Amino acid sequence: MLSRDGYGETEYTRRNKREEKKHKEETMTMAKLTESMTNVLEGDSMDQDVESPVAIHQPKLPKQARDDLPRHISRDRTKRKIQRYVRKDGKCNVHHGNVRETYRYLTDIFTTLVDLKWRFNLLIFVMVYTVTWLFFGMIWWLIAYIRGDMDHIEDPSWTPCVTNLNGFVSAFLFSIETETTIGYGYRVITDKCPEGIILLLIQSVLGSIVNAFMVGCMFVKISQPKKRAETLVFSTHAVISMRDGKLCLMFRVGDLRNSHIVEASIRAKLIKSKQTSEGEFIPLNQTDINVGYYTGDDRLFLVSPLIISHEINQQSPFWEISKAQLPKEELEIVVILEGMVEATGMTCQARSSYVTSEILWGYRFTPVLTLEDGFYEVDYNSFHETYETSTPSLSAKELAELASRAELPLSWSVSSKLNQHAELETEEEEKNLEEQTERNGDVAKLENESKV
């Protein structure tokens, strides 16, 4: 028994020691992990306070949550969150707060109704008609009640204001018939009621105004070209590669419908915060990106997908950005495609954006247009696909400096090299021809001398 108890105590002590040691190791690991995560978050918040106009504060974890922090923490949580100015679907990620002058929305009530969501628009549509019918129905009933028509319903010698109007329900039905100009013929206004005639004129005019306003509002909302923009697509990524010996930023646009966009044009904006030389901080500063404004390439004939190219030159905001520096930049490229809908003639606008993680350096777009038997076919399965190509990782400015040092034009190509070879060959042929002529002359002289 003693040995058994002693053996039991020894085993129990060893087990406690192992558990205590394991608990200490886990506690130390969690402390190190919490400390490293805190340092990363503090470093990100400091960088964000300097570079980002909108400070994103990391939530403080309670003590129990910090103690129970899991060992595997994704790196994505520690990375700085990129806030879009324009989302991929084209909606602007901006909310208007603290608007005190709300009366301005009522001064333009038509646009306010058109901008409402469909459920609210339909509710207002039904409520406006119902309220006007009830309002005028109440007035018709009051006229009949004041004149005493309700007391002489069964009196054939009594001339009422409205025949067969015997209560509020019948007055409500007569109001609907009057405003909608149905006219079943059972309830009719008589010529012995001047106040009824005046009310009939007022209701007819106001009913026409309500019809014009509400029907016009519904027509404009139905014919809005916002849904047309759903069939205008942008590539999920933008690419940077060489084109005609120059570094270019490119993205692709396409139209999925057979009815085309008339007078289509493309614009691009760079959204990036900046600080002026005077120390003024401008959040989300907008800079134009030239996509062919001076050459007319920004006006598109959008029958098949097109690749929009921006040449990175000295006027480009990407002039000094290299491949290594691009992921460190906090910028967003907003692209805007505008045009008129061919079926309705209304202006349509489609938008999208690209952040730094969606700009691929050293890639090109896969061709989507193929020639079939008598027509061209567009393969939209490859619309977003890219392939890697040989592209220098230097910025456009560094490439221009290297080209100037080497005394070579930046647009040096194989064709220019072939032209140089052709010129050298022509010079060699001319020299050979001159030498051959001189030799022929010397031979002729020798022959003449021998004859003499």
Side-chain angles (χ1 to χ4, degrees), residues 386-399:
T386 58
Y387 65 94
E388 194 170 1
T389 183
S390 178
T391 304
S393 58
L394 301 177
S395 65
K397 180 179 179 180
E398 294 172 342
L399 290 176

Side-chain angles (χ1 to χ4, degrees), residues 59 64 133 228 240 321 364:
Q64 184 177 1
W133 294 337
R228 179 62 177 89
I240 295 179
I321 296 179
R364 289 178 184 168

Side-chain angles (χ1 to χ4, degrees), residues 136-390:
F136 284 104
M138 179 64 71
I139 297 178
W140 284 113
W141 179 81
L142 285 174
I143 291 175
Y145 181 79
I146 293 172
R147 293 183 80 256
D149 294 343
M150 300 299 176
D151 300 330
H152 301 81
I153 295 176
E154 301 297 335
D155 188 358
S157 61
W158 182 262
T159 303
C161 183
V162 179
T163 58
N164 299 319
L165 196 151
N166 52 15
F168 178 75
V169 176
S170 59
F172 176 69
L173 293 176
F174 181 72
S175 174
I176 296 176
E177 294 175 16
T178 302
E179 190 167 335
T180 57
T181 64
I182 294 175
Y184 290 113
Y186 183 69
R187 299 176 185 85
V188 182
I189 188 172
T190 62
D191 56 355
K192 303 297 183 180
C193 183
E195 61 272 20
I197 296 174
I198 295 174
L199 181 61
L200 179 64
L201 294 175
I202 294 174
Q203 186 175 4
S204 299
V205 173
L206 290 180
S208 300
I209 294 174
V210 170
N211 289 332
F213 187 83
M214 298 307 300
V215 173
C217 178
M218 297 296 293
F219 175 77
V220 171
K221 191 168 183 62
I222 291 172
S223 60
Q224 274 186 320
K226 290 183 179 179
K227 295 300 180 182
R228 179 62 177 89
E230 298 292 333
T231 53
L232 298 175
V233 292
F234 298 87
S235 57
T236 55
H237 293 88
V239 298
I240 295 179
S241 61
M242 301 297 292
R243 173 176 277 193
D244 293 332
K246 299 175 182 178
L247 201 62
C248 295
L249 170 71
M250 293 170 284
F251 57 92
R252 184 149 58 185
V253 296
D255 187 3
L256 301 180
R257 287 189 179 273
N258 291 327
S259 58
H260 310 304
I261 295 293
V262 183
E263 297 292 334
S265 62
I266 190 75
R267 292 185 292 127
K269 293 278 188 179
L270 175 67
I271 309 297
K272 182 181 179 182
S273 302
K274 64 174 290 188
Q275 189 170 6
T276 63
S277 57
E278 295 81 10
E280 180 188 4
F281 181 75
I282 304 176
L284 302 178
N285 182 58
Q286 299 185 12
T287 306
D288 281 330
I289 299 177
N290 186 15
V291 288
Y293 177 79
Y294 298 105
T295 59
D297 293 337
D298 62 329
R299 293 182 286 275
L300 310 178
F301 182 52
L302 197 58
V303 177
S304 61
L306 299 176
I307 297 177
I308 310 301
S309 176
H310 162 66
E311 180 184 340
I312 303 178
N313 50 27
Q314 293 182 357
Q315 289 75 32
S316 172
F318 302 95
W319 175 246
E320 299 180 356
I321 296 179
S322 62
K323 182 179 180 181
Q325 188 181 356
L326 180 62
K328 303 176 184 178
E329 295 288 333
E330 289 187 358
L331 55 85
E332 181 178 357
I333 301 172
V334 177
V335 292
I336 304 169
L337 177 62
E338 291 181 331
M340 289 189 299
V341 182
E342 188 178 27
T344 62
M346 302 184 71
T347 303
C348 172
Q349 185 181 94
R351 297 180 294 265
S352 186
S353 68
Y354 303 97
V355 294
T356 52
S357 59
E358 296 169 345
I359 302 175
L360 306 178
W361 191 289
Y363 283 81
R364 289 178 184 168
F365 287 106
T366 303
V368 296
L369 195 63
T370 56
L371 176 61
E372 300 296 333
D373 187 11
F375 61 93
Y376 294 95
E377 184 178 1
V378 178
D379 182 16
Y380 279 98
N381 289 329
S382 305
F383 182 82
H384 302 285
E385 293 182 0
T386 58
Y387 65 94
E388 194 170 1
T389 183
S390 178

Side-chain angles (χ1 to χ4, degrees), residues 121-138:
N121 207 301
L122 292 175
L123 178 63
I124 292 175
F125 186 84
V126 174
M127 289 298 296
V128 167
Y129 279 105
T130 305
V131 168
T132 54
W133 294 337
L134 287 172
F135 175 73
F136 284 104
M138 179 64 71

Side-chain angles (χ1 to χ4, degrees), residues 30 33 80 173 176 296 390 417:
M30 292 301 300
L33 184 59
R80 186 182 310 143
L173 293 176
I176 296 176
S390 178
K417 189 67 176 177

